[in-house]
Amino acid sequence: MKTSETQRESEEQGSFNFTKAKPSLSTAWVLRLELANSQETLEDSDSSNRRVVLALYEALSSRDVRTVHQIVAPDIEWWFHGPPTHQFLMRLLTGDQNESFQFSPQSIDCFGPTVLVEGCDRDCSISWVHAWTVTHGIVTQVREYFNTSLTVTRLGNNTSPSSSAQSSPSSFSSKSSSSTAEITSFHCPSVWESSVSDRVGKSVPGLVLAI
């Protein structure tokens, strides 16, 4: 009797330890699923925003004013850096059918609601970068840069009144892209840099955009 009771106690103890370990395994699995779902949500958002911006360029290329108005908010916020004669995008957005400039995207990258697109027209010695903001499938803001070396940084969670002031597209400027890189590395890490600004055959100014 004593032996069987001892065995029973041993079996119960072993069963108890196994049951006790199950919640920790279940919790780890749930956390893994949550992280996977979160990653899928971010990827889906980036993909959706990318499609919106690509559809906009197609509409601009075909001069489809109706589709442009469906994609772009009527009170879109527009910021421009470059020669006044290069305000091709604004003329296209307002339906100017006489504007002949074609925006042909050569690269597109997404960072949440921010979609970065760049292109280059070597014949005209023009490089351009667009930083679009997409909100619920509608373009609500665009920052436009012509013949400018742009570096994009992410401020992260360590925001402060001083860093908020740095988030303006024109907060940091320099006379060359090399000094822009030095400024960027000093303040916050770079997540994107324009790659076509050096193809225009001349020196260009540098700016940092914080998102």
Side-chain angles (χ1 to χ4, degrees), residues 102 115 192 199:
Q102 291 283 350
V115 182
W192 186 89
R199 301 178 188 176

PDB file of all heavy atoms in Angstrom, residues 102 115 192 199:
ATOM      1  N   GLN A 102       6.731  64.514 -67.642  1.00  0.00           N
ATOM      2  CA  GLN A 102       6.268  63.191 -67.243  1.00  0.00           C
ATOM      3  C   GLN A 102       7.041  62.713 -66.007  1.00  0.00           C
ATOM      4  O   GLN A 102       8.269  62.700 -66.012  1.00  0.00           O
ATOM      5  CB  GLN A 102       6.461  62.186 -68.386  1.00  0.00           C
ATOM      6  CG  GLN A 102       5.557  62.404 -69.579  1.00  0.00           C
ATOM      7  CD  GLN A 102       4.135  61.920 -69.326  1.00  0.00           C
ATOM      8  OE1 GLN A 102       3.853  61.253 -68.337  1.00  0.00           O
ATOM      9  NE2 GLN A 102       3.218  62.263 -70.220  1.00  0.00           N
ATOM     10  N   VAL A 115       5.104  57.539 -48.254  1.00  0.00           N
ATOM     11  CA  VAL A 115       5.557  56.816 -49.441  1.00  0.00           C
ATOM     12  C   VAL A 115       6.565  57.694 -50.171  1.00  0.00           C
ATOM     13  O   VAL A 115       6.237  58.815 -50.579  1.00  0.00           O
ATOM     14  CB  VAL A 115       4.385  56.463 -50.373  1.00  0.00           C
ATOM     15  CG1 VAL A 115       4.884  55.659 -51.570  1.00  0.00           C
ATOM     16  CG2 VAL A 115       3.320  55.672 -49.612  1.00  0.00           C
ATOM     17  N   TRP A 192      16.433  56.241 -45.160  1.00  0.00           N
ATOM     18  CA  TRP A 192      16.321  56.297 -46.616  1.00  0.00           C
ATOM     19  C   TRP A 192      17.142  57.465 -47.135  1.00  0.00           C
ATOM     20  O   TRP A 192      17.234  58.513 -46.502  1.00  0.00           O
ATOM     21  CB  TRP A 192      14.856  56.480 -47.029  1.00  0.00           C
ATOM     22  CG  TRP A 192      14.569  56.406 -48.493  1.00  0.00           C
ATOM     23  CD1 TRP A 192      14.270  55.294 -49.220  1.00  0.00           C
ATOM     24  CD2 TRP A 192      14.562  57.491 -49.435  1.00  0.00           C
ATOM     25  NE1 TRP A 192      14.063  55.610 -50.534  1.00  0.00           N
ATOM     26  CE2 TRP A 192      14.228  56.955 -50.693  1.00  0.00           C
ATOM     27  CE3 TRP A 192      14.792  58.872 -49.314  1.00  0.00           C
ATOM     28  CZ2 TRP A 192      14.137  57.743 -51.843  1.00  0.00           C
ATOM     29  CZ3 TRP A 192      14.700  59.660 -50.450  1.00  0.00           C
ATOM     30  CH2 TRP A 192      14.367  59.098 -51.701  1.00  0.00           C
ATOM     31  N   ARG A 199      22.834  62.143 -60.467  1.00  0.00           N
ATOM     32  CA  ARG A 199      22.828  61.832 -61.898  1.00  0.00           C
ATOM     33  C   ARG A 199      22.562  63.051 -62.770  1.00  0.00           C
ATOM     34  O   ARG A 199      22.506  62.933 -63.992  1.00  0.00           O
ATOM     35  CB  ARG A 199      21.769  60.772 -62.202  1.00  0.00           C
ATOM     36  CG  ARG A 199      21.976  59.467 -61.438  1.00  0.00           C
ATOM     37  CD  ARG A 199      20.874  58.476 -61.750  1.00  0.00           C
ATOM     38  NE  ARG A 199      20.935  57.304 -60.893  1.00  0.00           N
ATOM     39  CZ  ARG A 199      20.038  56.324 -60.900  1.00  0.00           C
ATOM     40  NH1 ARG A 199      19.006  56.390 -61.748  1.00  0.00           N
ATOM     41  NH2 ARG A 199      20.160  55.298 -60.086  1.00  0.00           N
TER      42      ARG A 199
END
